Amino acid sequence: MKWRSDQRVASTEVTRFVVDCETLLRIAAGEIEVAAEHKLVAPTLVRSQALSALYQASRRGEISAAEGIERVTRINSLKVRFLGDKVLQRTAWRVADELGWETTYDAEYVALTQLQADSFVTSDRDLAGAVSGLVTTATVEALSQSDR
């Protein structure tokens, strides 16, 4: 069977997800398994957000400092493409302005989804609702579901 160039074979299809900080932390903690054919992307700011969240969890006694550092190491070894170029920044600015947000932090996730991904994975229902008109959102369960 011949395939036209505009046809895609489901078994070779890759879904690209933008993941937020909470999702990334759950992946690093081993709570979420990502199906092999999925590709993850995130804005570079997520590294600082994750570091800060793990440090705070350690300070509150929820995890040990050693566990926090180990999770930071896991985050840095995950197959996640971290992006933060000027096109992303300009797009995030536009998104934040369009939505009337005070900061561009969440807008970077939305902008990255618009530019590089199929869907934005977040556990924050309010955020998912706020951006539903701009990008496709998904729950963390989508990460473990195979496209094949």
Side-chain angles (χ1 to χ4, degrees), residues 9-66:
V9 179
S11 65
T12 60
E13 205 168 295
V14 172
T15 303
R16 292 174 60 97
F17 291 102
V18 169
V19 292
D20 67 2
C21 183
E22 181 181 340
T23 303
L24 190 64
L25 290 170
R26 291 182 62 196
I27 293 168
E31 297 173 18
I32 300 171
E33 187 156 338
V34 179
E37 69 269 17
H38 297 325
K39 301 293 181 194
L40 303 181
V41 293
T44 54
L45 78 94
V46 77
R47 285 180 162 160
S48 295
Q49 290 176 323
L51 177 68
S52 183
L54 290 167
Y55 177 76
Q56 290 173 342
S58 173
R59 297 276 298 179
R60 288 190 302 266
E62 296 168 5
I63 60 173
S64 68

Side-chain angles (χ1 to χ4, degrees), residues 18 41-43 81 83 88 107-117:
V18 169
V41 293
R81 186 169 178 213
L83 300 167
L88 175 65
E108 285 196 38
Y109 294 96
V110 177
L112 187 56
T113 306
Q114 290 177 335
L115 296 168
Q116 297 279 334

Side-chain angles (χ1 to χ4, degrees), residues 72-142:
V72 169
T73 301
R74 276 190 241 145
I75 287 169
N76 290 326
S77 67
L78 290 173
K79 291 184 179 180
V80 179
R81 186 169 178 213
F82 297 103
L83 300 167
D85 63 11
K86 59 187 170 190
V87 174
L88 175 65
Q89 292 172 339
R90 281 195 299 267
T91 305
W93 184 292
R94 180 188 48 77
V95 167
D97 191 48
E98 182 178 334
L99 295 174
W101 288 346
E102 295 296 318
T103 71
T104 60
Y105 296 125
D106 288 337
E108 285 196 38
Y109 294 96
V110 177
L112 187 56
T113 306
Q114 290 177 335
L115 296 168
Q116 297 279 334
D118 300 303
S119 191
F120 172 40
V121 176
T122 181
S123 299
D124 184 334
R125 289 184 181 170
D126 291 335
L127 177 59
V131 304
S132 64
L134 298 176
V135 295
T136 300
T137 61
T139 62
V140 295
E141 290 77 23

